[in-house]
Amino acid sequence: MKLNHTIKVDLLEFFKTGKFDYLKLGQTQEWILNNFPDPDSGYDPDTNESFNIWTYGGIELHFEEGVLFLIYSDYWYEGKLLNTKELVLNKWIFEDIDKLTLLYVLAKLNEENIDYKKKTDNLGVLLRLKSGVELTFGNINDVEGLNTNEYHLTSFALVAENPFRWKDYI
């Protein structure tokens, strides 16, 4: 849909509340096409051809059977989370991707009183915020013996909670 205004999304607000403009998990592709800008890729308005992943700069919308189940980002081009001409992000801590170690992000979450659960395993560290946003951290350069506090943020996503993932933590 061609909008006559820019959509602005505040990533601090997204991390606090899970709010990404008017998008909510469970909405259909059709609803999103009628109420949100057309994606950069994943949908062709000329042919009405649609795929399961739509991109908006550095943000992806993932669909299953035409229903939104994930708002995701792991593609930070040259250290930047990209905007589009119709979607502008207030980037909060994403102004400098290189700073985003686990220790730094935990400090920022605590400054903003954002509650979270933390799970560490052999793959990395997962934080689940009260808002439903999940943050994944990893040893991106495979540094042997690296303290988990130095792991870097590799992705964030708004996703429905998988209770089995947190079984030992509830």
Side-chain angles (χ1 to χ4, degrees), residues 68-80:
L68 181 65
F69 76 92
L70 178 71
I71 299 173
Y72 180 81
S73 182
D74 71 347
Y75 180 70
W76 302 317
Y77 182 74
E78 294 182 353
K80 296 178 184 166

Side-chain angles (χ1 to χ4, degrees), residues 5-170:
H5 65 284
T6 302
I7 300 291
K8 294 181 181 172
V9 175
D10 184 333
L11 289 180
L12 173 57
E13 186 69 17
F14 177 62
F15 277 39
K16 283 183 173 182
T17 66
K19 182 181 178 206
F20 197 89
D21 192 55
Y22 292 105
L23 296 186
K24 293 181 179 160
L25 302 182
Q27 291 172 323
T28 65
Q29 286 176 321
E30 180 181 356
W31 186 93
I32 293 169
L33 283 174
N34 290 319
N35 295 281
F36 205 71
D38 289 341
D40 302 329
S41 67
Y43 171 74
D44 184 347
D46 296 330
T47 64
N48 246 2
E49 185 176 20
S50 183
F51 298 95
N52 289 331
I53 299 175
W54 294 356
T55 62
Y56 295 84
I59 304 292
E60 298 175 356
L61 304 184
H62 290 238
F63 298 91
E64 185 174 290
E65 297 182 11
V67 176
L68 181 65
F69 76 92
L70 178 71
I71 299 173
Y72 180 81
S73 182
D74 71 347
Y75 180 70
W76 302 317
Y77 182 74
E78 294 182 353
K80 296 178 184 166
L81 185 58
L82 299 177
N83 292 319
T84 69
K85 59 185 170 184
E86 293 180 322
L87 179 65
V88 175
L89 302 170
N90 176 348
K91 296 179 184 175
W92 182 45
I93 60 174
F94 290 90
E95 289 296 339
D96 186 353
I97 301 294
D98 292 334
K99 286 184 178 180
L100 299 180
T101 64
L102 176 61
L103 189 61
Y104 178 83
V105 173
L106 287 173
K108 293 299 181 184
L109 294 174
N110 289 331
E111 284 175 16
E112 296 294 338
N113 295 313
I114 299 174
D115 290 332
Y116 55 86
K117 295 187 274 191
K118 177 180 175 242
K119 181 175 183 178
T120 304
D121 61 25
N122 59 347
L123 298 175
V125 176
L126 178 68
L127 299 180
R128 175 139 181 115
L129 309 184
K130 188 176 182 181
S131 63
V133 174
E134 290 188 356
L135 312 176
T136 305
F137 296 81
N139 183 350
I140 59 174
N141 294 317
D142 270 345
V143 175
E144 192 165 331
L146 184 66
N147 184 307
T148 56
N149 283 327
E150 297 304 314
Y151 282 16
H152 272 80
L153 183 66
T154 58
S155 68
F156 66 83
L158 177 65
V159 61
E161 185 167 13
N162 177 348
F164 297 107
R165 181 184 293 156
W166 298 98
K167 187 175 181 185
D168 297 332
Y169 298 91
I170 296 177

